Amino acid sequence: MDWHEMQVILQDCRIGYVITDRALHIVRRGGISDMFEQDGAAALGDPLVEHVPELVGSERLLADILEGRLPRLELVCINRETRAGSTCYVTLVDLPVCNGEGEIVGLMHLEQDMTEMGTLQQRLMQSRNELRLAQAQLAGQNDELAARTAELMETNAQLEAFGHTISHDLRAPLQSIEGYAEILLRQSDDWKDAGVQDDLRHI
């Protein structure tokens, strides 16, 4: 694969890279040039961490790669503020660079623009959070509905018991009134007033 073919692949995959020496100073760069320009263009001789702030604090891991104790360092889908003020997502990979004798002489630091995937992941996470919130709200509404249903059933039971009590309490006096009316009706043959008999029958 020649240099031109490699550049086409790097451009298409949105990958930029720099090569460092063992002191982690940049000695070569290639691929997407703007990947390292959020704080100004990365110049030869600059320390790598000046242009890749996400590596600050990872110096021990980088040293482990240089000493052959660690095969690689990868930071996936890191959000980064661009010079234009927007947010992009990048994946960082650091690998050892060896000379012809197999000695590690520096690092290859790769950055791949993952903004499209990172944006989709953020949207997916937001959708999941919204779904969890909707599920929690639905569960709360179901609990509230269950409580209201239980309250309504209790109220209906109380009304039924009240109706039964009223029915029972009223039955005895009504039976007494009906009994007295029948007694009076049987004795009404001695009464001359037909209106009294009609009233008793009405009762």
Side-chain angles (χ1 to χ4, degrees):
M1 179 185 300
D2 66 12
W3 182 85
H4 178 71
E5 290 171 336
M6 189 175 75
Q7 283 299 114
V8 170
I9 292 171
L10 294 173
Q11 293 284 335
D12 185 65
C13 294
R14 298 283 303 155
I15 296 174
Y17 71 91
V18 294
I19 306 293
T20 75
D21 56 18
R22 288 187 62 86
L24 298 179
H25 290 98
I26 297 170
V27 295
R28 197 169 67 216
R29 54 182 288 171
I32 304 295
S33 59
D34 61 354
M35 295 293 290
F36 302 94
E37 296 181 357
Q38 67 270 19
D39 295 321
L44 299 183
D46 287 349
L48 175 64
V49 293
E50 281 187 11
H51 298 282
V52 189
E54 296 87 358
L55 291 178
V56 173
S58 300
E59 290 84 359
R60 174 172 284 212
L61 296 174
L62 297 177
D64 286 343
I65 295 174
L66 290 170
E67 296 303 322
R69 292 189 295 266
L70 187 68
R72 63 189 279 139
L73 172 64
E74 183 172 359
L75 304 174
V76 180
C77 247
I78 297 171
N79 64 323
R80 177 184 281 174
E81 190 86 9
T82 67
R83 294 178 75 182
S86 60
T87 299
C88 68
Y89 296 88
V90 293
T91 290
L92 313 179
V93 179
D94 288 281
L95 302 165
V97 173
C98 298
N99 62 15
E101 287 77 38
E103 299 172 330
I104 298 174
V105 295
L107 291 182
M108 174 182 284
H109 175 81
L110 303 169
E111 293 196 2
Q112 183 172 14
D113 185 352
M114 305 292 286
T115 301
E116 187 175 341
M117 181 183 293
T119 301
L120 290 175
Q121 286 179 342
Q122 289 298 315
R123 287 179 185 164
L124 179 61
M125 188 179 301
Q126 182 179 356
S127 296
R128 285 178 178 166
N129 289 339
E130 289 172 356
L131 178 60
R132 286 191 193 103
L133 179 60
Q135 288 173 335
Q137 289 174 342
L138 182 60
Q141 290 173 350
N142 285 341
D143 290 344
E144 186 178 345
L145 180 60
R148 288 183 179 178
T149 300
E151 185 180 343
L152 182 60
M153 289 177 67
E154 183 180 352
T155 301
N156 284 341
Q158 291 174 351
L159 285 173
E160 188 175 335
F162 178 73
H164 179 71
T165 301
I166 292 298
S167 174
H168 182 269
D169 289 350
L170 290 179
R171 188 174 294 124
L174 288 175
Q175 287 173 342
S176 298
I177 293 171
E178 184 181 8
Y180 283 119
E182 288 177 358
I183 292 171
L184 290 173
L185 190 56
R186 283 196 295 270
Q187 296 173 355
S188 65
D189 292 340
D190 302 335
W191 297 350
K192 305 289 186 197
D193 190 348
V196 172
Q197 293 181 1
D198 289 340
D199 289 342
L200 291 173
R201 288 191 188 95
H202 185 69
I203 291 172

